[in-house]
Amino acid sequence: MKKIFFTHFIFVTSFLFAQEKDQVLSKQTQTELLRPLTVTVGGNFIVTGSFTSYASQRVDHFVSQLFLEARKQATSSINQFDILKKINEEISKFPLRDIILKRFNGEEVKIDLLRFRLTGDFKFNPYLQNDDVLIFPAFDEKTNFVSVTGAVNNPITFQFVEGDKLSDAILFAGGINKLYENVNEAEVSRLTDKGSKEEILRVKINDDFFLQRGDRIRILFDENNKRDFKVLVIGEVNKPGFIPITKGSTSIKELMIKAGGFTDKAWLQRSEILKGTSQLQMLKMKTLREDFEKSEKLNLILSEKYLNEIFLEQTKMLRMNDLYAQDSLVVIIDNLLRLLQKNSAVDFTKIFSDTTDDGKYIVDDGDIVVVPQKEELVYVFGQVKRPGFVPYQKEKQHDYYINKAGGFGERAIDDEVKIIKGNSYAWITADHKTKIDSGDFIYVPKDVPKPFAYYMREVGAASSIITAIATIILIVVQARR
């Protein structure tokens, strides 16, 4: 029994002693890692001089920390965004490669932070030691570069270092893009010193060709069109969403079949295909995509209001009016509409017809097809007492809708009421034979009072014309005598 007790005592004592020893060693290690070091920075960096580091820091951590602190001090008093952006761009242009780390014992280590950040190989990012010196090389991004494009994941222009090979360039460009098959060759464009002549070198990727400063590399590939071509269809279709298509061969008719066809509420006269042909159109398409991704049951009316469609609506409406005679104004309106809209001219009411070519229209990747819900409303505005939407009633005349809107205003010109067709925005002078359709607009113009000077100008202009005509007649009569 005593023997067992003694053995157990020795085991417990040894364990506690080992544990205490580990704790002492751990404290010693932590103390060593927190020991301050002096590191000197020289060469082409945002700040130079001697700075405090720690034994726990590697070169990249130390350089990044030093850069962020220096940048903060350099830009703290600047509040103009453009100037701040330009300064940040300039001070960020320090070399990440070919950095020399000089040790106190005379050893020199080549530092390549770009390679470390891409590979995670700590050989290129060692721990710092006391009295280390980091020297950043001179770097001119306009001449000391290599660029890589083509079948790579991340086309890049990077700092050239003597000894770089084609494999290094591909590494810095994120590797070969797996979209492309049988990528075996690269084309290297190499200029003479004067830049007036070009040498084109075609090399095998496996040969690991040595590069020169200023080389422009294109990783060659055969075009691969196995991509996610798709069109977003939203609104009144049975299966809205992103519809896969083929490149350059899917028609709008085939697309609508894939989307399950139109619902009973589809407003085909107002349906459209949006294409990214202008900045406004691209903004509208971006917003619609984002809204659809948030909720597939997006409200198209609210989306249009958000996109400032009121301005576009007004431009459409004014285009075909007959209230003004100035040709220059009509040209301005037509051109403005052309710049704002740029949609495809497809009549959605004829997509499934075999007698027209509307259904043969080819959609492209990234297009958006919008099929709004039909509004069973007529909008009455202008010189009426309560402008706004009035529920559509089949076979009703314009005076019915005007009465529903509160009747004519005090200065309304009741014999010049205009019907603006909802599908074409054509202006028609209203009479009792004019058919009103859902989605139409009824505009009641205003009799604007004019000052006496206006009538004097009109009389003056008429008098000038009459005088000119009378003069011509007098000349003709005298010439015949």
Side-chain angles (χ1 to χ4, degrees):
M1 184 70 181
K2 290 182 178 180
K3 186 177 181 181
I4 295 173
F5 175 77
F6 183 72
T7 304
H8 180 72
F9 175 77
I10 292 175
F11 173 78
V12 172
T13 304
S14 300
F15 176 77
L16 292 174
F17 177 76
Q19 193 174 37
E20 183 178 356
K21 185 178 180 181
D22 287 343
Q23 289 175 352
V24 171
L25 290 174
S26 177
K27 288 180 180 179
Q28 290 177 346
T29 303
Q30 290 176 5
T31 302
E32 180 65 23
L33 290 175
L34 294 174
R35 180 172 55 87
L37 310 173
T38 298
V39 177
T40 302
V41 177
N44 184 23
F45 193 62
I46 183 174
V47 290
T48 56
S50 295
F51 304 91
T52 299
S53 179
Y54 297 92
S56 61
Q57 277 191 309
R58 293 181 182 271
V59 173
D60 194 28
H61 183 200
F62 173 71
V63 169
S64 298
Q65 188 178 48
L66 204 60
F67 169 75
L68 291 174
E69 291 175 358
R71 185 180 67 177
K72 182 179 179 181
Q73 291 181 9
T75 59
S76 60
S77 61
I78 300 172
N79 53 20
Q80 295 185 20
F81 177 76
D82 292 340
I83 298 176
L84 184 63
K85 181 180 178 183
K86 189 170 183 62
I87 291 176
N88 279 329
E89 289 175 354
E90 290 301 318
I91 63 179
S92 298
K93 294 176 182 176
F94 63 89
L96 292 174
R97 309 185 66 208
D98 211 22
I99 303 167
I100 298 175
L101 172 60
K102 290 189 174 184
R103 301 289 193 189
F104 180 73
N105 61 7
E107 178 189 4
E108 289 192 3
V109 182
K110 284 280 190 177
I111 304 297
D112 192 333
L113 298 182
L114 178 61
R115 191 181 296 273
F116 164 70
R117 292 176 183 181
L118 289 170
T119 64
D121 189 341
F122 285 101
K123 178 177 67 174
F124 304 105
N125 182 30
Y127 282 109
L128 290 167
Q129 297 177 11
N130 195 40
D131 291 331
D132 277 350
V133 178
L134 286 169
I135 301 177
F136 287 77
F139 173 52
D140 183 356
E141 62 176 357
K142 294 182 179 179
T143 58
N144 190 42
F145 74 91
V146 170
S147 67
V148 191
T149 59
V152 290
N153 289 302
N154 182 33
I156 190 175
T157 299
F158 62 90
Q159 174 192 352
F160 172 75
V161 173
E162 291 293 340
D164 278 346
K165 295 182 178 181
L166 182 58
S167 59
D168 299 314
I170 294 174
L171 168 68
F172 296 148
I176 301 295
N177 191 328
K178 293 183 180 180
L179 171 68
Y180 306 101
E181 299 175 355
N182 302 319
V183 178
N184 301 311
E185 292 186 317
E187 183 181 270
V188 181
S189 168
R190 184 172 288 174
L191 298 178
T192 59
D193 291 341
K194 293 183 179 179
S196 57
K197 293 183 180 179
E198 179 187 34
E199 181 184 8
I200 301 293
L201 304 172
R202 192 143 178 167
V203 298
K204 296 289 185 182
I205 289 177
N206 291 336
D207 292 343
D208 212 7
F209 179 76
F210 274 99
L211 303 176
Q212 293 183 12
R213 182 179 288 103
D215 281 350
R216 294 166 296 176
I217 304 165
R218 188 162 62 96
I219 306 300
L220 303 178
F221 61 93
D222 294 328
E223 183 66 33
N224 187 329
N225 286 313
K226 292 193 294 184
R227 301 180 186 177
D228 187 17
F229 299 114
K230 58 189 176 184
V231 172
L232 176 59
V233 182
I234 53 179
E236 293 302 318
V237 292
N238 291 304
K239 298 177 182 178
F242 288 98
I243 309 296
I245 64 169
T246 55
K247 182 183 178 182
S249 61
T250 301
S251 68
I252 185 65
K253 179 179 178 179
E254 293 170 329
L255 183 73
M256 289 300 100
I257 291 174
K258 285 186 174 183
F262 303 113
T263 70
D264 295 338
K265 297 179 180 179
W267 197 350
L268 301 183
Q269 291 84 352
R270 289 282 189 95
S271 298
E272 58 183 347
I273 303 174
L274 304 180
K275 311 183 82 66
T277 51
S278 69
Q279 289 185 346
L280 179 68
Q281 198 81 316
M282 289 168 65
L283 174 63
K284 179 177 181 179
M285 293 169 72
K286 178 176 181 292
T287 305
L288 286 174
R289 288 192 190 99
E290 291 175 351
D291 287 351
F292 180 79
E293 288 169 359
K294 291 176 184 176
S295 173
E296 294 187 3
K297 297 180 180 180
L298 78 165
N299 189 320
L300 288 175
I301 296 175
L302 292 180
S303 296
E304 289 191 351
K305 287 182 180 178
Y306 173 76
L307 290 163
N308 197 21
E309 285 296 319
I310 295 172
F311 180 43
L312 180 58
E313 188 81 0
Q314 288 175 338
T315 307
K316 284 181 178 180
M317 195 171 294
L318 289 172
R319 184 174 73 91
M320 299 182 69
N321 80 80
D322 58 358
L323 300 180
Y324 306 99
Q326 292 90 337
D327 291 339
S328 59
L329 179 60
V330 175
V331 172
I332 290 172
I333 291 171
D334 278 340
N335 192 50
L336 184 59
L337 180 61
R338 177 185 64 83
L339 295 173
L340 289 173
Q341 194 173 32
K342 292 189 175 180
N343 292 346
S344 59
V346 174
D347 186 345
F348 278 68
T349 64
K350 300 177 181 178
I351 282 178
F352 294 104
S353 172
D354 295 328
T355 60
T356 70
D357 291 332
D358 291 273
K360 299 177 182 178
Y361 180 88
I362 302 299
V363 293
D364 297 316
D365 179 46
D367 287 352
I368 297 180
V369 177
V370 180
V371 183
Q373 181 177 338
K374 184 180 291 185
E375 297 175 0
E376 296 296 328
L377 300 167
V378 172
Y379 192 81
V380 185
F381 66 116
Q383 291 303 299
V384 291
K385 294 177 181 178
R386 294 192 303 273
F389 287 106
V390 176
Y392 173 69
Q393 294 292 328
K394 194 174 182 180
E395 305 300 334
K396 294 293 185 181
Q397 303 295 326
H398 66 276
D399 51 1
Y400 165 82
Y401 295 99
I402 292 173
N403 289 332
K404 287 291 183 181
F408 290 110
E410 183 180 350
R411 292 193 173 277
I413 306 177
D414 55 7
D415 58 348
E416 293 186 16
V417 174
K418 301 294 181 180
I419 308 300
I420 306 166
K421 302 304 293 181
N423 56 348
S424 65
Y425 292 91
W427 286 56
I428 301 171
T429 300
D431 57 33
H432 291 290
K433 296 180 181 179
T434 306
K435 182 182 178 183
I436 308 293
D437 295 310
S438 176
D440 285 354
F441 305 85
I442 299 175
Y443 173 67
V444 179
K446 181 178 182 179
D447 183 12
V448 181
K450 299 177 178 60
F452 180 74
Y454 169 82
Y455 293 105
M456 290 299 296
R457 284 196 300 270
E458 294 294 312
V459 170
S463 299
S464 298
I465 295 172
I466 293 171
T467 301
I469 293 172
T471 302
I472 293 171
I473 293 173
L474 181 60
I475 292 171
V476 172
V477 170
Q478 288 181 348
R480 287 183 177 181
R481 289 181 179 177

PDB file of all heavy atoms in Angstrom, residues 280 283-284 287-288 291 298-313 375 377 379 389:
ATOM      1  N   LEU A 280     -28.207  56.038 -68.162  1.00  0.00           N
ATOM      2  CA  LEU A 280     -29.499  55.987 -67.478  1.00  0.00           C
ATOM      3  C   LEU A 280     -30.088  54.582 -67.547  1.00  0.00           C
ATOM      4  O   LEU A 280     -30.612  54.055 -66.561  1.00  0.00           O
ATOM      5  CB  LEU A 280     -30.468  56.997 -68.097  1.00  0.00           C
ATOM      6  CG  LEU A 280     -31.869  57.013 -67.482  1.00  0.00           C
ATOM      7  CD1 LEU A 280     -31.820  57.541 -66.058  1.00  0.00           C
ATOM      8  CD2 LEU A 280     -32.813  57.849 -68.315  1.00  0.00           C
ATOM      9  N   LEU A 283     -28.273  52.271 -65.206  1.00  0.00           N
ATOM     10  CA  LEU A 283     -28.690  52.520 -63.822  1.00  0.00           C
ATOM     11  C   LEU A 283     -30.041  51.864 -63.545  1.00  0.00           C
ATOM     12  O   LEU A 283     -30.245  51.234 -62.509  1.00  0.00           O
ATOM     13  CB  LEU A 283     -28.764  54.026 -63.565  1.00  0.00           C
ATOM     14  CG  LEU A 283     -29.330  54.446 -62.201  1.00  0.00           C
ATOM     15  CD1 LEU A 283     -28.446  53.940 -61.081  1.00  0.00           C
ATOM     16  CD2 LEU A 283     -29.461  55.956 -62.123  1.00  0.00           C
ATOM     17  N   LYS A 284     -30.955  52.011 -64.489  1.00  0.00           N
ATOM     18  CA  LYS A 284     -32.281  51.418 -64.334  1.00  0.00           C
ATOM     19  C   LYS A 284     -32.183  49.896 -64.246  1.00  0.00           C
ATOM     20  O   LYS A 284     -32.804  49.264 -63.370  1.00  0.00           O
ATOM     21  CB  LYS A 284     -33.157  51.827 -65.513  1.00  0.00           C
ATOM     22  CG  LYS A 284     -34.562  51.248 -65.466  1.00  0.00           C
ATOM     23  CD  LYS A 284     -35.382  51.764 -66.631  1.00  0.00           C
ATOM     24  CE  LYS A 284     -36.807  51.213 -66.596  1.00  0.00           C
ATOM     25  NZ  LYS A 284     -37.632  51.727 -67.698  1.00  0.00           N
ATOM     26  N   THR A 287     -30.699  48.716 -60.908  1.00  0.00           N
ATOM     27  CA  THR A 287     -31.663  48.829 -59.818  1.00  0.00           C
ATOM     28  C   THR A 287     -32.718  47.733 -59.888  1.00  0.00           C
ATOM     29  O   THR A 287     -33.091  47.141 -58.864  1.00  0.00           O
ATOM     30  CB  THR A 287     -32.333  50.213 -59.857  1.00  0.00           C
ATOM     31  OG1 THR A 287     -31.330  51.223 -59.837  1.00  0.00           O
ATOM     32  CG2 THR A 287     -33.265  50.406 -58.674  1.00  0.00           C
ATOM     33  N   LEU A 288     -33.197  47.421 -61.073  1.00  0.00           N
ATOM     34  CA  LEU A 288     -34.199  46.368 -61.232  1.00  0.00           C
ATOM     35  C   LEU A 288     -33.629  45.014 -60.815  1.00  0.00           C
ATOM     36  O   LEU A 288     -34.311  44.207 -60.170  1.00  0.00           O
ATOM     37  CB  LEU A 288     -34.691  46.320 -62.672  1.00  0.00           C
ATOM     38  CG  LEU A 288     -35.636  47.459 -63.109  1.00  0.00           C
ATOM     39  CD1 LEU A 288     -35.938  47.374 -64.589  1.00  0.00           C
ATOM     40  CD2 LEU A 288     -36.925  47.434 -62.306  1.00  0.00           C
ATOM     41  N   ASP A 291     -33.402  45.014 -57.024  1.00  0.00           N
ATOM     42  CA  ASP A 291     -34.735  44.908 -56.428  1.00  0.00           C
ATOM     43  C   ASP A 291     -35.287  43.495 -56.574  1.00  0.00           C
ATOM     44  O   ASP A 291     -35.924  42.963 -55.656  1.00  0.00           O
ATOM     45  CB  ASP A 291     -35.687  45.913 -57.083  1.00  0.00           C
ATOM     46  CG  ASP A 291     -35.405  47.345 -56.652  1.00  0.00           C
ATOM     47  OD1 ASP A 291     -34.584  47.518 -55.726  1.00  0.00           O
ATOM     48  OD2 ASP A 291     -35.989  48.269 -57.236  1.00  0.00           O
ATOM     49  N   LEU A 298     -41.286  42.129 -56.809  1.00  0.00           N
ATOM     50  CA  LEU A 298     -41.040  43.566 -56.738  1.00  0.00           C
ATOM     51  C   LEU A 298     -42.176  44.348 -57.378  1.00  0.00           C
ATOM     52  O   LEU A 298     -42.869  43.861 -58.278  1.00  0.00           O
ATOM     53  CB  LEU A 298     -39.726  43.925 -57.425  1.00  0.00           C
ATOM     54  CG  LEU A 298     -39.673  44.005 -58.961  1.00  0.00           C
ATOM     55  CD1 LEU A 298     -38.403  44.715 -59.384  1.00  0.00           C
ATOM     56  CD2 LEU A 298     -39.728  42.635 -59.605  1.00  0.00           C
ATOM     57  N   ASN A 299     -42.340  45.576 -56.906  1.00  0.00           N
ATOM     58  CA  ASN A 299     -43.371  46.475 -57.421  1.00  0.00           C
ATOM     59  C   ASN A 299     -42.746  47.325 -58.515  1.00  0.00           C
ATOM     60  O   ASN A 299     -41.939  48.214 -58.251  1.00  0.00           O
ATOM     61  CB  ASN A 299     -43.909  47.364 -56.294  1.00  0.00           C
ATOM     62  CG  ASN A 299     -45.124  48.171 -56.722  1.00  0.00           C
ATOM     63  OD1 ASN A 299     -45.180  48.681 -57.840  1.00  0.00           O
ATOM     64  ND2 ASN A 299     -46.083  48.292 -55.830  1.00  0.00           N
ATOM     65  N   LEU A 300     -43.116  47.042 -59.767  1.00  0.00           N
ATOM     66  CA  LEU A 300     -42.511  47.755 -60.892  1.00  0.00           C
ATOM     67  C   LEU A 300     -42.838  49.237 -60.864  1.00  0.00           C
ATOM     68  O   LEU A 300     -42.020  50.071 -61.266  1.00  0.00           O
ATOM     69  CB  LEU A 300     -42.982  47.153 -62.216  1.00  0.00           C
ATOM     70  CG  LEU A 300     -42.405  45.777 -62.560  1.00  0.00           C
ATOM     71  CD1 LEU A 300     -43.047  45.244 -63.825  1.00  0.00           C
ATOM     72  CD2 LEU A 300     -40.905  45.852 -62.718  1.00  0.00           C
ATOM     73  N   ILE A 301     -44.011  49.592 -60.387  1.00  0.00           N
ATOM     74  CA  ILE A 301     -44.400  51.005 -60.355  1.00  0.00           C
ATOM     75  C   ILE A 301     -43.493  51.770 -59.395  1.00  0.00           C
ATOM     76  O   ILE A 301     -42.990  52.845 -59.716  1.00  0.00           O
ATOM     77  CB  ILE A 301     -45.878  51.154 -59.942  1.00  0.00           C
ATOM     78  CG1 ILE A 301     -46.779  50.498 -61.002  1.00  0.00           C
ATOM     79  CG2 ILE A 301     -46.243  52.621 -59.766  1.00  0.00           C
ATOM     80  CD1 ILE A 301     -48.242  50.498 -60.633  1.00  0.00           C
ATOM     81  N   LEU A 302     -43.246  51.195 -58.217  1.00  0.00           N
ATOM     82  CA  LEU A 302     -42.364  51.850 -57.252  1.00  0.00           C
ATOM     83  C   LEU A 302     -40.936  51.922 -57.769  1.00  0.00           C
ATOM     84  O   LEU A 302     -40.242  52.913 -57.559  1.00  0.00           O
ATOM     85  CB  LEU A 302     -42.401  51.096 -55.921  1.00  0.00           C
ATOM     86  CG  LEU A 302     -43.721  51.150 -55.151  1.00  0.00           C
ATOM     87  CD1 LEU A 302     -43.610  50.355 -53.864  1.00  0.00           C
ATOM     88  CD2 LEU A 302     -44.121  52.590 -54.850  1.00  0.00           C
ATOM     89  N   SER A 303     -40.500  50.889 -58.456  1.00  0.00           N
ATOM     90  CA  SER A 303     -39.142  50.893 -59.004  1.00  0.00           C
ATOM     91  C   SER A 303     -38.980  52.002 -60.022  1.00  0.00           C
ATOM     92  O   SER A 303     -37.962  52.679 -60.066  1.00  0.00           O
ATOM     93  CB  SER A 303     -38.832  49.539 -59.657  1.00  0.00           C
ATOM     94  OG  SER A 303     -38.835  48.510 -58.691  1.00  0.00           O
ATOM     95  N   GLU A 304     -39.981  52.191 -60.855  1.00  0.00           N
ATOM     96  CA  GLU A 304     -39.904  53.243 -61.865  1.00  0.00           C
ATOM     97  C   GLU A 304     -39.872  54.621 -61.222  1.00  0.00           C
ATOM     98  O   GLU A 304     -39.158  55.511 -61.677  1.00  0.00           O
ATOM     99  CB  GLU A 304     -41.069  53.125 -62.842  1.00  0.00           C
ATOM    100  CG  GLU A 304     -40.949  51.920 -63.763  1.00  0.00           C
ATOM    101  CD  GLU A 304     -41.958  51.965 -64.899  1.00  0.00           C
ATOM    102  OE1 GLU A 304     -42.835  52.843 -64.849  1.00  0.00           O
ATOM    103  OE2 GLU A 304     -41.857  51.139 -65.807  1.00  0.00           O
ATOM    104  N   LYS A 305     -40.648  54.814 -60.161  1.00  0.00           N
ATOM    105  CA  LYS A 305     -40.617  56.100 -59.469  1.00  0.00           C
ATOM    106  C   LYS A 305     -39.236  56.348 -58.892  1.00  0.00           C
ATOM    107  O   LYS A 305     -38.708  57.454 -58.955  1.00  0.00           O
ATOM    108  CB  LYS A 305     -41.676  56.129 -58.373  1.00  0.00           C
ATOM    109  CG  LYS A 305     -43.101  56.256 -58.902  1.00  0.00           C
ATOM    110  CD  LYS A 305     -44.105  56.317 -57.763  1.00  0.00           C
ATOM    111  CE  LYS A 305     -45.524  56.454 -58.308  1.00  0.00           C
ATOM    112  NZ  LYS A 305     -46.525  56.467 -57.227  1.00  0.00           N
ATOM    113  N   TYR A 306     -38.647  55.305 -58.331  1.00  0.00           N
ATOM    114  CA  TYR A 306     -37.311  55.444 -57.757  1.00  0.00           C
ATOM    115  C   TYR A 306     -36.299  55.827 -58.829  1.00  0.00           C
ATOM    116  O   TYR A 306     -35.344  56.548 -58.570  1.00  0.00           O
ATOM    117  CB  TYR A 306     -36.908  54.129 -57.105  1.00  0.00           C
ATOM    118  CG  TYR A 306     -35.478  54.095 -56.631  1.00  0.00           C
ATOM    119  CD1 TYR A 306     -35.101  54.759 -55.469  1.00  0.00           C
ATOM    120  CD2 TYR A 306     -34.507  53.405 -57.343  1.00  0.00           C
ATOM    121  CE1 TYR A 306     -33.796  54.727 -55.020  1.00  0.00           C
ATOM    122  CE2 TYR A 306     -33.196  53.380 -56.902  1.00  0.00           C
ATOM    123  CZ  TYR A 306     -32.849  54.037 -55.745  1.00  0.00           C
ATOM    124  OH  TYR A 306     -31.549  54.007 -55.314  1.00  0.00           O
ATOM    125  N   LEU A 307     -36.489  55.370 -60.029  1.00  0.00           N
ATOM    126  CA  LEU A 307     -35.550  55.631 -61.125  1.00  0.00           C
ATOM    127  C   LEU A 307     -35.832  56.938 -61.852  1.00  0.00           C
ATOM    128  O   LEU A 307     -35.352  57.168 -62.951  1.00  0.00           O
ATOM    129  CB  LEU A 307     -35.627  54.472 -62.134  1.00  0.00           C
ATOM    130  CG  LEU A 307     -35.066  53.159 -61.629  1.00  0.00           C
ATOM    131  CD1 LEU A 307     -35.554  52.011 -62.491  1.00  0.00           C
ATOM    132  CD2 LEU A 307     -33.563  53.203 -61.590  1.00  0.00           C
ATOM    133  N   ASN A 308     -36.672  57.779 -61.259  1.00  0.00           N
ATOM    134  CA  ASN A 308     -36.978  59.080 -61.842  1.00  0.00           C
ATOM    135  C   ASN A 308     -37.639  58.943 -63.204  1.00  0.00           C
ATOM    136  O   ASN A 308     -37.326  59.656 -64.152  1.00  0.00           O
ATOM    137  CB  ASN A 308     -35.707  59.938 -61.952  1.00  0.00           C
ATOM    138  CG  ASN A 308     -36.037  61.411 -62.153  1.00  0.00           C
ATOM    139  OD1 ASN A 308     -37.137  61.856 -61.842  1.00  0.00           O
ATOM    140  ND2 ASN A 308     -35.096  62.152 -62.674  1.00  0.00           N
ATOM    141  N   GLU A 309     -38.566  57.988 -63.320  1.00  0.00           N
ATOM    142  CA  GLU A 309     -39.249  57.775 -64.590  1.00  0.00           C
ATOM    143  C   GLU A 309     -40.209  58.905 -64.916  1.00  0.00           C
ATOM    144  O   GLU A 309     -40.704  58.986 -66.034  1.00  0.00           O
ATOM    145  CB  GLU A 309     -40.013  56.443 -64.541  1.00  0.00           C
ATOM    146  CG  GLU A 309     -39.129  55.228 -64.663  1.00  0.00           C
ATOM    147  CD  GLU A 309     -38.446  55.167 -66.012  1.00  0.00           C
ATOM    148  OE1 GLU A 309     -39.080  55.458 -67.013  1.00  0.00           O
ATOM    149  OE2 GLU A 309     -37.258  54.859 -66.048  1.00  0.00           O
ATOM    150  N   ILE A 310     -40.485  59.763 -63.944  1.00  0.00           N
ATOM    151  CA  ILE A 310     -41.384  60.886 -64.222  1.00  0.00           C
ATOM    152  C   ILE A 310     -40.815  61.752 -65.335  1.00  0.00           C
ATOM    153  O   ILE A 310     -41.525  62.202 -66.240  1.00  0.00           O
ATOM    154  CB  ILE A 310     -41.595  61.720 -62.944  1.00  0.00           C
ATOM    155  CG1 ILE A 310     -42.316  60.872 -61.890  1.00  0.00           C
ATOM    156  CG2 ILE A 310     -42.372  62.992 -63.226  1.00  0.00           C
ATOM    157  CD1 ILE A 310     -42.411  61.532 -60.534  1.00  0.00           C
ATOM    158  N   PHE A 311     -39.501  61.989 -65.285  1.00  0.00           N
ATOM    159  CA  PHE A 311     -38.853  62.810 -66.303  1.00  0.00           C
ATOM    160  C   PHE A 311     -38.964  62.144 -67.672  1.00  0.00           C
ATOM    161  O   PHE A 311     -39.282  62.783 -68.677  1.00  0.00           O
ATOM    162  CB  PHE A 311     -37.385  63.008 -65.925  1.00  0.00           C
ATOM    163  CG  PHE A 311     -36.625  63.845 -66.899  1.00  0.00           C
ATOM    164  CD1 PHE A 311     -37.170  65.012 -67.429  1.00  0.00           C
ATOM    165  CD2 PHE A 311     -35.346  63.478 -67.301  1.00  0.00           C
ATOM    166  CE1 PHE A 311     -36.464  65.788 -68.316  1.00  0.00           C
ATOM    167  CE2 PHE A 311     -34.639  64.246 -68.192  1.00  0.00           C
ATOM    168  CZ  PHE A 311     -35.199  65.408 -68.707  1.00  0.00           C
ATOM    169  N   LEU A 312     -38.733  60.841 -67.719  1.00  0.00           N
ATOM    170  CA  LEU A 312     -38.851  60.108 -68.975  1.00  0.00           C
ATOM    171  C   LEU A 312     -40.287  60.110 -69.466  1.00  0.00           C
ATOM    172  O   LEU A 312     -40.555  60.273 -70.661  1.00  0.00           O
ATOM    173  CB  LEU A 312     -38.359  58.669 -68.778  1.00  0.00           C
ATOM    174  CG  LEU A 312     -38.409  57.746 -70.009  1.00  0.00           C
ATOM    175  CD1 LEU A 312     -37.604  58.332 -71.143  1.00  0.00           C
ATOM    176  CD2 LEU A 312     -37.896  56.373 -69.639  1.00  0.00           C
ATOM    177  N   GLU A 313     -41.226  59.968 -68.550  1.00  0.00           N
ATOM    178  CA  GLU A 313     -42.644  59.972 -68.909  1.00  0.00           C
ATOM    179  C   GLU A 313     -43.046  61.315 -69.525  1.00  0.00           C
ATOM    180  O   GLU A 313     -43.742  61.375 -70.540  1.00  0.00           O
ATOM    181  CB  GLU A 313     -43.470  59.703 -67.652  1.00  0.00           C
ATOM    182  CG  GLU A 313     -44.953  59.496 -67.912  1.00  0.00           C
ATOM    183  CD  GLU A 313     -45.265  58.096 -68.364  1.00  0.00           C
ATOM    184  OE1 GLU A 313     -44.342  57.278 -68.487  1.00  0.00           O
ATOM    185  OE2 GLU A 313     -46.440  57.820 -68.601  1.00  0.00           O
ATOM    186  N   GLU A 375     -52.881  48.662 -66.084  1.00  0.00           N
ATOM    187  CA  GLU A 375     -53.583  49.568 -65.190  1.00  0.00           C
ATOM    188  C   GLU A 375     -54.981  49.831 -65.740  1.00  0.00           C
ATOM    189  O   GLU A 375     -55.121  50.382 -66.833  1.00  0.00           O
ATOM    190  CB  GLU A 375     -52.824  50.900 -65.069  1.00  0.00           C
ATOM    191  CG  GLU A 375     -51.445  50.771 -64.457  1.00  0.00           C
ATOM    192  CD  GLU A 375     -50.690  52.094 -64.481  1.00  0.00           C
ATOM    193  OE1 GLU A 375     -51.268  53.086 -64.979  1.00  0.00           O
ATOM    194  OE2 GLU A 375     -49.550  52.140 -64.034  1.00  0.00           O
ATOM    195  N   LEU A 377     -56.960  52.082 -65.439  1.00  0.00           N
ATOM    196  CA  LEU A 377     -57.124  53.466 -65.009  1.00  0.00           C
ATOM    197  C   LEU A 377     -56.921  54.412 -66.177  1.00  0.00           C
ATOM    198  O   LEU A 377     -56.270  54.071 -67.169  1.00  0.00           O
ATOM    199  CB  LEU A 377     -56.101  53.803 -63.903  1.00  0.00           C
ATOM    200  CG  LEU A 377     -56.146  52.986 -62.609  1.00  0.00           C
ATOM    201  CD1 LEU A 377     -54.896  53.244 -61.794  1.00  0.00           C
ATOM    202  CD2 LEU A 377     -57.398  53.334 -61.808  1.00  0.00           C
ATOM    203  N   TYR A 379     -55.720  58.534 -66.578  1.00  0.00           N
ATOM    204  CA  TYR A 379     -55.208  59.659 -65.795  1.00  0.00           C
ATOM    205  C   TYR A 379     -55.688  60.972 -66.400  1.00  0.00           C
ATOM    206  O   TYR A 379     -55.478  61.234 -67.586  1.00  0.00           O
ATOM    207  CB  TYR A 379     -53.677  59.644 -65.758  1.00  0.00           C
ATOM    208  CG  TYR A 379     -53.120  60.608 -64.727  1.00  0.00           C
ATOM    209  CD1 TYR A 379     -53.069  60.248 -63.387  1.00  0.00           C
ATOM    210  CD2 TYR A 379     -52.677  61.871 -65.086  1.00  0.00           C
ATOM    211  CE1 TYR A 379     -52.571  61.115 -62.424  1.00  0.00           C
ATOM    212  CE2 TYR A 379     -52.183  62.749 -64.139  1.00  0.00           C
ATOM    213  CZ  TYR A 379     -52.127  62.370 -62.810  1.00  0.00           C
ATOM    214  OH  TYR A 379     -51.650  63.236 -61.864  1.00  0.00           O
ATOM    215  N   PHE A 389     -55.953  59.653 -61.087  1.00  0.00           N
ATOM    216  CA  PHE A 389     -56.433  58.450 -61.762  1.00  0.00           C
ATOM    217  C   PHE A 389     -57.938  58.290 -61.574  1.00  0.00           C
ATOM    218  O   PHE A 389     -58.471  58.520 -60.492  1.00  0.00           O
ATOM    219  CB  PHE A 389     -55.728  57.212 -61.222  1.00  0.00           C
ATOM    220  CG  PHE A 389     -54.297  57.086 -61.654  1.00  0.00           C
ATOM    221  CD1 PHE A 389     -53.270  57.345 -60.762  1.00  0.00           C
ATOM    222  CD2 PHE A 389     -53.977  56.713 -62.952  1.00  0.00           C
ATOM    223  CE1 PHE A 389     -51.950  57.224 -61.146  1.00  0.00           C
ATOM    224  CE2 PHE A 389     -52.660  56.594 -63.356  1.00  0.00           C
ATOM    225  CZ  PHE A 389     -51.640  56.856 -62.449  1.00  0.00           C
TER     226      PHE A 389
END
